[in-house]
Amino acid sequence: MEGSLKPMDAEQLRECAHKMVDFVADYYKNIENFPVLSQVQPGYLRELLPDSAPTHPESLQDVLNDVQAKILPGVTHWQSPDYFAYFPSNSSIAGFLGEMLSAGINMVGFSWITSPAATELEMIVLDWLAKALKLPDEFLSTGKGGGVIQGTACEAVLVVLLAARDRVLRKVGKDAVGKLVVYSSDQTHSALQKACQIGGIHPENCQVLETDPSTDHALAPESLSQAISQDIASGLIPFFLCATVGTTSSTAVDPLLALGNITKTNGMWFHVDAAYAGSACICPEFRHYIDGVEEADSFNMNAHKWFLTNFDCSALWIKDRSALIQSLSTNPEFLKNKASEGNTVVDYKDWQIPLGRRFRSLKLWMVLRLYGLENLQAYIRNHIELAKTFEELVKQDPRFEVAAPRKFSLVCFRLLPPQNKEDRANKLNHDLLDSVNSTGKIFISHTVLSGKYVLRFAVGAPLTEKRHIVAAWKVLQEKASALLRIL
């Protein structure tokens, strides 16, 4: 490889990394110039790139030129200040630096001995975050519980479902798997459905309980109690409830304390999914949304959503780590070592689905240290204030309505049909969504609440300012006016 890029050379790394950092910095500097939602057609990239890999090396500059000309047009820019779809996926300088350092060290920390610092830093930093959220002491690593970084909330709910399944089957026998019942609301993330499919829970035993506007689409405890009673009477075994703080559709908040009391009475595992809204609970004024978490067996939030920590970094806490370990542990000969055999260390391979794992705690540690809790609280409060601004703009236009109470930084709204013709409302809002997103100026998403097609405006990109909120509202008003004119 004489004269070309070597696999690992300190000086070449220095030179190339500087170029890459400059490229990324310029990308962020100019991010507002890109269409937020990629406007390319399916299959566009195959027409622009060769059909086989190069035989001889190419220069980094040539590759970066192709990224600029061919890749970026096919990127939907999640860090754009005009990105308001789904939920945010935060990047930050601190998160980027932590990710860079993790990539540079590039260890595979599946057990303590493979890199002691990786395991111990993860334990420490998740204890820090647990204390910032005022989680019960049972979730700290100093007791029987502890925290672990999963890739996503989907992985988090899967591993605790498996732990809960195996815990109950040890009591009632493995042949009873067909009797196990999982409960959730119709607002619970589809990750639970996938976890049930993987975990062998029969589809007919996945109880999805209906919610409605009377509870702001939160799960009613009475509904849960009734479903459990009916299932027990039918000879089934209720074993798992997933409650949500900040649902994807509308950021509804399930009543944790009441639900937790029901699960405790029935010997069930209680999991709390706060993937999006958990970040807000580091602010004292929003902490009440997770009151009752002391009744939970596990709690999850995504630091990569709204906590300035680059994807992926999903924090999961569990009260009884032995439940995870009993369900997920393997101990092949080639992984045996003195520290693990002596039960003096944590081996995170036994807390997750894959064996290998990255040094993800570095970026969360750097975010907490380089920003501090006060700045992180201010960051979240600012987005909530911006969402309030958008909500007020919606309320001031009689053609629109706010479709669900705003609790955090998501506003659910819709364009009202002329002459109150509700049969036209869903198509009208679907057309408005398509019209707005096709401009490339902003990107929003949608949901359906009680049969109504609703638009979602989620504030949370790191670069978003008030001017972006005002500009987005102008685009929505203009497109709404155009649609209403042709009705």
Side-chain angles (χ1 to χ4, degrees):
M1 293 189 175
E2 194 63 35
S4 63
L5 192 66
K6 299 179 178 66
M8 185 59 69
D9 177 271
E11 292 311 312
Q12 283 188 332
L13 173 63
R14 194 185 312 279
E15 178 185 352
C16 292
H18 278 129
K19 287 182 180 178
M20 184 60 76
V21 169
D22 284 343
F23 184 89
V24 174
D26 287 341
Y27 166 70
Y28 280 115
K29 189 174 182 179
N30 298 304
I31 197 168
E32 288 188 59
N33 298 329
F34 295 102
V36 188
L37 178 64
S38 174
Q39 305 293 304
V40 302
Q41 296 302 309
Y44 90 102
L45 194 56
R46 190 168 291 279
E47 298 176 7
L48 299 178
L49 296 183
D51 60 5
S52 58
T55 302
H56 303 291
E58 301 179 29
S59 71
L60 175 59
Q61 191 57 55
D62 285 344
V63 175
L64 291 178
N65 289 343
D66 275 354
V67 171
Q68 188 73 42
K70 300 171 184 177
I71 303 299
L72 289 184
V75 169
T76 291
H77 302 279
W78 285 63
Q79 305 310 313
S80 168
D82 298 307
Y83 180 96
F84 303 107
Y86 310 117
F87 279 135
S89 179
N90 281 177
S91 289
S92 69
I93 295 172
F96 176 79
L97 293 174
E99 192 73 78
M100 182 190 293
L101 184 56
S102 176
I105 295 172
N106 199 35
M107 42 71 72
V108 186
F110 47 80
S111 59
W112 179 87
I113 200 169
T114 59
S115 267
T119 295
E120 296 193 13
L121 183 62
E122 189 158 333
M123 295 169 69
I124 291 166
V125 79
L126 286 178
D127 282 353
W128 283 7
L129 188 51
K131 290 173 182 176
L133 291 164
K134 294 182 171 57
L135 296 183
D137 288 347
E138 294 100 309
F139 285 124
L140 300 179
S141 64
T142 48
K144 293 181 179 179
V148 56
I149 298 176
Q150 304 286 340
T152 65
C154 302
E155 294 170 47
V157 74
L158 173 59
V159 297
V160 296
L161 180 93
L162 296 176
R165 179 201 66 184
D166 292 350
R167 184 177 74 174
V168 72
L169 289 179
R170 284 192 292 272
K171 294 178 182 176
V172 300
K174 63 182 180 181
D175 292 337
V177 68
K179 296 181 178 181
L180 301 184
V181 187
V182 170
Y183 301 85
S184 67
S185 85
D186 57 6
Q187 302 299 301
T188 303
H189 196 279
S190 58
L192 179 63
Q193 178 189 343
K194 181 175 283 192
C196 289
Q197 290 171 204
I198 296 170
I201 307 303
H202 292 197
E204 63 271 21
N205 289 348
C206 297
Q207 283 272 29
V208 178
L209 305 173
E210 189 175 343
T211 63
D212 60 54
S214 68
T215 60
D216 295 340
H217 296 282
L219 176 57
E222 302 78 21
S223 176
L224 176 65
S225 289
Q226 183 178 6
I228 290 173
S229 296
Q230 290 173 351
D231 287 336
I232 291 174
S234 300
L236 299 174
I237 304 171
F239 87 104
F240 189 90
L241 168 67
C242 180
T244 309
V245 174
T247 58
T248 301
S249 282
S250 67
T251 63
V253 175
D254 291 336
L256 302 188
L257 185 58
L259 296 174
N261 288 335
I262 295 168
T263 58
K264 182 183 288 185
T265 299
N266 290 280
M268 297 165 59
W269 187 290
F270 183 27
H271 177 63
V272 175
D273 174 1
Y276 159 70
S279 297
C281 296
I282 66 164
C283 301
E285 66 270 31
F286 301 115
R287 171 56 178 77
H288 66 91
Y289 285 116
I290 57 170
D291 284 354
V293 69
E294 59 272 14
E295 302 299 331
D297 295 280
S298 50
F299 177 84
N300 173 230
M301 66 156 274
N302 284 349
H304 61 240
K305 270 192 168 66
W306 199 16
F307 206 71
L308 288 175
T309 308
N310 297 37
F311 187 84
D312 56 349
C313 187
S314 183
L316 170 68
W317 289 271
I318 188 165
K319 278 184 178 174
D320 178 13
R321 58 177 175 259
S322 69
L324 269 189
I325 294 168
Q326 284 181 279
S327 185
L328 301 172
S329 177
T330 57
N331 192 30
E333 185 63 36
F334 70 93
L335 293 182
K336 291 179 179 177
N337 63 85
K338 193 174 182 179
S340 297
E341 296 294 303
N343 290 319
T344 58
V345 296
V346 164
D347 287 337
Y348 275 128
K349 70 179 178 63
D350 300 327
W351 297 43
Q352 61 175 26
I353 300 301
L355 172 64
R357 59 199 329 269
R358 299 187 300 117
F359 200 168
R360 287 180 292 214
S361 56
L362 268 178
K363 56 190 173 186
L364 181 55
W365 185 54
M366 292 184 77
V367 164
L368 287 167
R369 291 192 65 188
L370 294 177
Y371 297 128
L373 290 174
E374 281 189 2
N375 281 333
L376 289 165
Q377 289 168 341
Y379 174 78
I380 287 162
R381 287 170 178 143
N382 177 58
H383 282 149
I384 291 172
E385 288 302 314
L386 291 176
K388 286 181 183 177
T389 297
F390 182 81
E391 182 183 36
E392 286 305 312
L393 291 170
V394 173
K395 288 179 177 178
Q396 290 166 16
D397 190 329
R399 301 175 300 171
F400 290 85
E401 71 171 1
V402 175
R406 182 205 51 74
K407 291 182 172 65
F408 304 101
S409 66
L410 172 72
V411 180
C412 293
F413 69 106
R414 66 178 192 137
L415 179 60
L416 296 170
Q419 289 86 48
N420 291 320
K421 294 180 179 176
E422 274 297 326
D423 57 322
R424 296 188 183 182
N426 285 357
K427 184 179 186 305
L428 178 64
N429 282 279
H430 186 284
D431 291 345
L432 178 57
L433 180 85
D434 286 347
S435 180
V436 165
N437 286 344
S438 66
T439 67
K441 293 179 181 177
I442 65 171
F443 181 29
I444 61 173
S445 56
H446 79 282
T447 190
V448 174
L449 292 172
S450 299
K452 294 181 179 180
Y453 191 99
V454 171
L455 305 181
R456 298 171 70 263
F457 190 91
V459 182
L463 296 170
T464 301
E465 300 173 3
K466 185 176 180 179
R467 63 186 174 90
H468 299 108
I469 305 297
V470 173
W473 178 237
K474 185 177 179 182
V475 172
L476 280 155
Q477 284 186 308
E478 289 173 353
K479 293 301 180 182
S481 297
L483 285 170
L484 292 172
R485 275 197 299 269
I486 62 176
L487 283 180

